[in-house]
Amino acid sequence: MKRFGKLWLLLAAFALPVGLAQLMLSMQWYQGGVTNRGQLLDPPLSAPGVAQAGRWQLLYVLPDDCDVACAGALFHLRQIPQAVGAERDRVASLLLVNGSAGQDNELLRGLKAATVPASLLKRLQATEYGAQAIYLVDPLGNILMAYPLESAQPAILAQGKDVLRDLKRLLKVSKIG
């Protein structure tokens, strides 16, 4: 009887971790391999008209009314390329505006603005986040990631850290740009 008890204990020592791992995976308690903070777009949007050779870009579509979330996004567009440090020549910000909307706005100072192509605006609005996100564009013109806008001050600051963290990682491993 003692031998069977040891055998069951030995079997439990090997079967219990496998059972617990299966339970964790089936209950979705574990997110393996996720290191990015932004939301990956699957499939990425192609936007060759906004691509800058050799530069990663932060892209934002300026709404008609700029609220707290919009002001936070504009803050990130100005600060994140500077916060990258030595790699700042590989990063740019691009603000897309509808016609003349916001051209005289004080919040836009220091940002490169361009008129948003209607086809790109339509494709962005078809995504889950629409124009309410900061998008990350690779040097080839692919919009890869979205960072949905936040409206609370602590969340806005945390979002900036998330974008910076993802961007630094991409710059480190990227062979383009």
Side-chain angles (χ1 to χ4, degrees):
M1 191 73 165
K2 276 188 169 183
R3 279 193 278 178
F4 289 117
K6 289 180 182 179
L7 180 63
W8 283 112
L9 187 59
L10 185 63
L11 285 174
F14 287 101
L16 187 61
V18 172
L20 287 174
Q22 182 63 36
L23 178 67
M24 287 180 67
L25 290 174
S26 66
M27 299 298 283
Q28 296 180 350
W29 293 340
Y30 174 73
Q31 288 184 338
V34 176
T35 58
N36 56 299
R37 301 293 177 104
Q39 305 299 318
L40 288 172
L41 298 181
D42 187 27
L45 298 175
S46 177
V50 299
Q52 285 188 10
R55 290 188 139 190
W56 290 81
Q57 290 186 91
L58 298 172
L59 179 76
Y60 178 63
V61 179
L62 186 68
D64 293 333
D65 299 328
C66 195
D67 58 0
V68 174
C70 169
L74 296 175
F75 175 77
H76 294 324
L77 289 181
R78 271 198 276 337
Q79 296 299 317
I80 290 173
Q82 297 301 317
V84 171
E87 302 285 345
R88 83 181 73 171
D89 58 330
R90 295 176 62 194
V91 179
S93 294
L94 180 61
L95 181 65
L96 297 179
V97 294
N98 285 323
S100 63
Q103 293 289 352
D104 58 344
N105 194 331
E106 185 70 25
L107 292 171
L108 306 183
R109 189 173 304 203
L111 291 173
K112 179 183 174 190
T115 303
V116 60
S119 61
L120 177 59
L121 182 61
K122 185 177 181 180
R123 285 185 287 150
L124 283 175
Q125 288 175 338
T127 66
E128 181 180 348
Y129 310 107
Q132 297 298 312
I134 298 172
Y135 291 95
L136 186 60
V137 183
D138 73 4
L140 302 176
N142 298 309
I143 301 175
L144 305 173
M145 296 182 83
Y147 298 88
L149 296 184
E150 300 288 346
S151 54
Q153 189 65 28
I156 291 172
L157 295 175
Q159 182 183 45
K161 290 178 184 178
D162 291 344
V163 175
L164 181 62
R165 181 174 173 245
D166 285 350
L167 189 56
K168 281 185 173 183
R169 182 174 291 126
L170 282 169
L171 291 171
K172 184 177 180 179
V173 300
S174 172
K175 302 280 189 237
I176 57 173

